[in-house]
Amino acid sequence: MALTHVVLNSGRVIELSRLELSSTYSGMLEGYPFQGWNDRKVAGLVGRVEQEGDGVPVHLVEPVRELPDLPDGAFGPVELLPAVTCVGVFSSKPVDPELDAVLHHSALRVVWFQQSTELPSGTGANGCLRGIAWDDLARDFEL
């Protein structure tokens, strides 16, 4: 059973079956977030998710980066990612219209960032999630 459903801009409905939430800056004991640190954080996260190795492709929704009006530190300007890091596994009907929807489904693992722990849902989901080009990114699997 799905945790929630998201309606993509294309009209396709995708189901969220697994979701991992974490604080974006947990483990940052000192210093401040800056572009280089955030770049490494995002790349490391995507690499970890790709290594799960179950054949489901991984897609990163590029995060919105905020530059607050704060003085620059030793590494340059402060740059903030949204507070919550999300990794979700979504599925839907097959991408290939020739496949039997009873025996096949498509899947995509998505990494994104958001400001709250709220589940994405319906047409009210984060616009960057709703814009996923599912047919280009997801892979079909036999059940």
Side-chain angles (χ1 to χ4, degrees):
M1 178 172 261
L3 295 170
T4 187
H5 297 80
V6 174
V7 180
L8 300 180
N9 292 338
S10 66
R12 178 185 282 272
V13 176
I14 60 175
E15 297 182 343
L16 177 63
S17 60
R18 192 170 87 187
L19 179 61
E20 174 188 319
L21 300 175
S22 60
S23 170
T24 298
Y25 293 114
S26 67
M28 183 176 227
L29 300 177
E30 58 183 67
Y32 67 95
F34 57 95
Q35 182 180 358
W37 194 91
N38 287 334
D39 290 347
R40 287 189 295 279
K41 169 112 178 131
V42 170
L45 173 63
V46 170
R48 177 185 63 84
V49 173
E50 287 174 338
Q51 287 179 352
E52 290 185 6
D54 59 3
V56 177
V58 176
H59 173 64
L60 168 68
V61 175
E62 282 296 330
V64 174
R65 296 168 184 245
E66 181 185 336
L67 297 171
D69 188 20
L70 296 170
D72 289 0
F75 302 106
V78 175
E79 180 187 86
L80 298 174
L81 297 173
V84 181
T85 300
C86 307
V87 178
V89 178
F90 291 89
S91 62
S92 184
K93 65 183 181 182
V95 172
D96 182 347
E98 299 293 317
L99 294 175
D100 184 341
V102 174
L103 299 174
H104 297 85
H105 74 283
S106 58
L108 182 64
R109 198 175 301 275
V110 181
V111 177
W112 78 98
F113 295 81
Q114 61 186 36
Q115 288 298 346
S116 73
T117 58
E118 187 175 315
L119 280 175
S121 182
T123 57
N126 184 320
C128 60
L129 275 180
R130 295 193 61 226
I132 291 173
W134 188 269
D135 290 356
D136 297 332
L137 299 168
R139 181 174 163 217
D140 288 332
F141 293 90
E142 187 172 0
L143 297 174

